[in-house]
Amino acid sequence: QKEVEQNSGPLSVPEGAIASLNCTYSDRVSQSFFWYRQYSGKSPELIMSIYSNGDKEDGRFTAQLNKASQYVSLLIRDSQPSDSATYLCAVISRDDKIIFGKGTRLHILP
Amino acid sequence: EAGVTQFPSHSVIEKGQTVTLRCDPISGHDNLYWYRRVMGKEIKFLLHFVKESKQDESGMPNNRFLAERTGGTYSTLKVQPAELEDSGVYFCASSLNQWGITDTQYFGPGTRLTVL
């Protein structure tokens, strides 16, 4: 089982709709979770971090964490074409290393 | 404030040659990380510097890879001799404090290495 799993996509979402990105992780003791956005040919950029069960909102972005299910998600409301990118889920492992998923390609349809 | 910079942006070399990648972190960031993404795979941790000291180099693939951080400023990652499987994008990141709860890692643009 991979440590951090994401659906590679592409995930196509109409402009203005909600994009839902999902991630599961294998290490039950993980405590810190991150979502990075990476535009093609660019570097990953941190957009959300979450450490406690529940929802965390920042503008159009909401991160959701369920430690019992080992599941973290990112919702993007009112999706814009500029949201089209690869979204990387990352988890801090028990030995303090950051583990990335392969990423989900998101395509917002104008 | 300048971000993390990396040089070169692309490098194409032949198997057996040597390549040196450079990373300049954000000024004042003590923590510097190297990562690698091989095509089709996830980004993988290589090593972590705190100032000039190697805090964790458990992700380095083998002894063909040598990382240094002179004076706790910029860092170099040398691959000698390069092999085909070393091809990928090498990212550098820096943070003010160690990762985890308190700090953000800022990534550089990456160096795309192709070994022929």
Side-chain angles (χ1 to χ4, degrees):
Chain A
Q1 182 187 7
K2 287 192 169 57
E3 293 182 86
V4 178
E5 292 212 54
Q6 297 180 254
N7 188 320
S8 61
L11 174 66
S12 295
V13 173
E15 183 175 357
I18 295 175
S20 178
L21 303 161
N22 305 315
C23 171
T24 58
Y25 59 95
S26 61
D27 191 346
R28 185 168 291 278
V29 304
S30 298
Q31 297 294 322
S32 305
F33 308 88
F34 307 91
W35 281 100
Y36 284 81
R37 178 178 62 200
Q38 185 177 19
Y39 293 113
S40 181
K42 302 295 184 182
S43 55
E45 172 192 11
L46 181 68
I47 55 172
M48 288 287 284
S49 57
I50 187 167
Y51 311 108
S52 305
N53 276 328
D55 294 0
K56 179 181 177 183
E57 188 174 317
D58 183 1
R60 295 186 296 111
F61 298 98
T62 299
Q64 298 175 318
L65 175 61
N66 183 325
K67 291 185 181 179
S69 300
Q70 294 175 229
Y71 175 92
V72 58
S73 65
L74 179 70
L75 302 178
I76 306 175
R77 290 182 300 282
D78 188 24
S79 297
Q80 304 295 312
S82 59
D83 295 326
S84 297
T86 295
Y87 288 80
L88 304 170
C89 174
V91 173
I92 302 296
S93 68
R94 63 177 66 210
D95 56 354
D96 271 346
K97 289 185 179 54
I98 190 167
I99 310 293
F100 285 91
K102 283 189 179 183
T104 298
R105 283 180 295 137
L106 175 65
H107 182 49
I108 305 302
L109 304 169
Chain B
E1 179 185 281
V4 177
T5 58
Q6 292 186 245
F7 181 84
S9 57
H10 294 82
S11 180
V12 180
I13 61 172
E14 292 187 351
K15 176 182 171 181
Q17 289 186 318
T18 297
V19 63
T20 300
L21 314 181
R22 173 171 170 145
C23 169
D24 286 78
I26 292 173
S27 177
H29 281 194
D30 286 344
N31 293 271
L32 186 149
Y33 310 85
W34 283 98
Y35 298 90
R36 177 174 72 172
R37 183 167 192 162
V38 174
M39 185 178 293
K41 304 286 188 182
E42 59 274 17
I43 297 173
K44 290 276 197 182
F45 166 83
L46 296 179
L47 87 159
H48 170 207
F49 282 100
V50 178
K51 297 185 179 178
E52 68 277 7
S53 300
K54 291 176 186 174
Q55 179 83 357
D56 182 350
E57 54 182 329
S58 61
M60 296 286 263
N62 49 62
N63 60 10
R64 295 185 294 103
F65 289 76
L66 175 64
E68 294 178 325
R69 190 178 183 192
T70 308
T73 55
Y74 71 91
S75 174
T76 58
L77 179 65
K78 180 190 286 188
V79 184
Q80 178 182 29
E83 298 289 344
L84 298 178
E85 65 265 24
D86 301 331
S87 296
V89 181
Y90 289 77
F91 289 105
C92 174
S94 74
S95 67
L96 189 60
N97 300 304
Q98 189 159 344
W99 63 30
I101 292 179
T102 60
D103 211 358
T104 296
Q105 289 188 39
Y106 296 89
F107 279 77
T111 294
R112 182 174 295 278
L113 175 65
T114 302
V115 182
L116 302 176

